[in-house]
């Protein structure tokens, strides 16, 4: 029947267009993630260098700095997509730095990477508007994953208390935790 052939070919054409759009969207998203510009702040040089080495595997690290005021100047100058911040830094805490970044440009995403594995620190960090929190004890295994997830629009809070499961605060996770 001629009408069924036309409908069938129309459906194939529509399916192909939708499939191509999905592939294009996926490839574009992956390409954008790979080109993400990241700025790092940690007051310990060895730790800062380790963070940079980890992130350079997948992203462009535009700078790595050791204090809050210098970091804020770099944010204004370099316009990163994401900042990785330590909480305890000289002159200005990472919490204050995050507040200021979010006030000036709410589109910049923030992941805290810190020694502080404590509910109060996590709550204060996430109250700044930060999208991610990882303890340094989990840095080697989880930092790249959390950065990718945050760049994709999700929020993550990983600490040693999570027992390896992590807390994805997006609506899509069954393992979501409060706090």
């Amino acid at each position: 029947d001629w009408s069924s052939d036309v409908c069938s070919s129309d459906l194939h054409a529509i399916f192909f267009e939708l499939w191509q759009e999905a592939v294009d969207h996926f490839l574009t998203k992956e390409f954008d993630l790979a080109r993400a510009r990241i700025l790092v702040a940690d007051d310990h040089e060895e730790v800062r260098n380790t963070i940079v080495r980890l992130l350079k595997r997948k992203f462009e690290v535009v700078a790595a700095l050791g204090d809050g005021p210098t970091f804020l100047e770099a944010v204004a100058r370099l316009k990163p997509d994401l900042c990785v911040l330590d909480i305890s830094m000289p002159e200005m805490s990472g919490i204050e730095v995050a507040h200021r970044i979010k006030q000036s440009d709410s589109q910049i995403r923030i992941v805290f990477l810190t020694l502080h594995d404590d509910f109060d620190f996590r709550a204060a960090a996430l109250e700044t508007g930060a999208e991610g929190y990882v303890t340094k004890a989990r840095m080697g295994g989880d930092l790249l994953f959390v950065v990718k997830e945050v760049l994709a629009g999700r929020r993550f809070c990983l600490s040693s208390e999570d027992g390896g499961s992590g807390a994805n605060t997006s609506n899509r996770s069954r393992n979501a935790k409060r706090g």
Side-chain angles (χ1 to χ4, degrees), residues 4-176:
S4 66
D5 288 340
V6 170
C7 290
S8 177
S9 67
D10 287 344
L11 288 174
H12 286 297
I14 291 169
F15 174 78
F16 181 76
E17 279 184 13
L18 290 173
W19 179 80
Q20 191 61 46
E21 284 178 20
V23 168
D24 289 345
H25 177 75
F26 175 78
L27 291 176
T28 301
K29 193 166 195 95
E30 287 298 309
F31 181 71
D32 288 345
L33 289 178
R35 292 185 50 193
R37 296 167 43 83
I38 298 178
L39 195 56
V40 174
D42 194 290
D43 58 323
H44 295 96
E45 186 176 5
E46 280 184 44
V47 174
R48 200 168 52 238
N49 291 339
T50 300
I51 296 166
V52 169
R53 274 193 307 277
L54 284 169
L55 292 172
K56 278 190 168 183
R57 295 177 186 172
K58 299 284 182 184
F59 308 103
E60 178 186 354
V61 178
V62 293
L65 303 154
D67 66 81
T70 306
F71 190 80
L72 285 173
E73 291 171 10
V75 168
R77 189 177 72 255
L78 299 171
K79 310 281 190 232
D81 299 301
L82 183 139
C83 296
V84 174
L85 288 172
D86 186 13
I87 288 179
S88 300
M89 293 189 297
E91 299 182 47
M92 185 184 303
S93 75
I95 302 285
E96 179 62 27
V97 170
H99 274 297
R100 292 187 185 195
I101 291 169
K102 289 296 188 176
Q103 286 174 345
S104 67
D105 186 347
S106 64
Q107 297 301 307
I108 296 175
R109 298 175 193 269
I110 297 173
V111 172
F112 278 97
L113 179 65
T114 181
L115 286 173
H116 301 290
D117 192 8
D118 172 89
F119 175 81
D120 292 333
F121 278 106
R122 286 194 307 268
L126 296 175
E127 283 174 13
T128 67
E131 293 80 6
Y133 190 98
V134 182
T135 59
K136 289 181 179 175
R138 299 180 62 121
M139 174 173 52
D142 292 329
L143 181 60
L144 286 175
F145 173 76
V146 172
V147 167
K148 284 170 89 174
E149 290 297 302
V150 166
L151 286 168
R154 292 179 281 280
R155 294 172 58 102
F156 267 79
C157 182
L158 294 171
S159 71
S160 61
E161 294 174 10
D162 296 325
S165 66
N168 175 347
T169 58
S170 73
N171 293 330
R172 299 166 61 183
S173 172
R174 292 183 179 205
N175 295 328

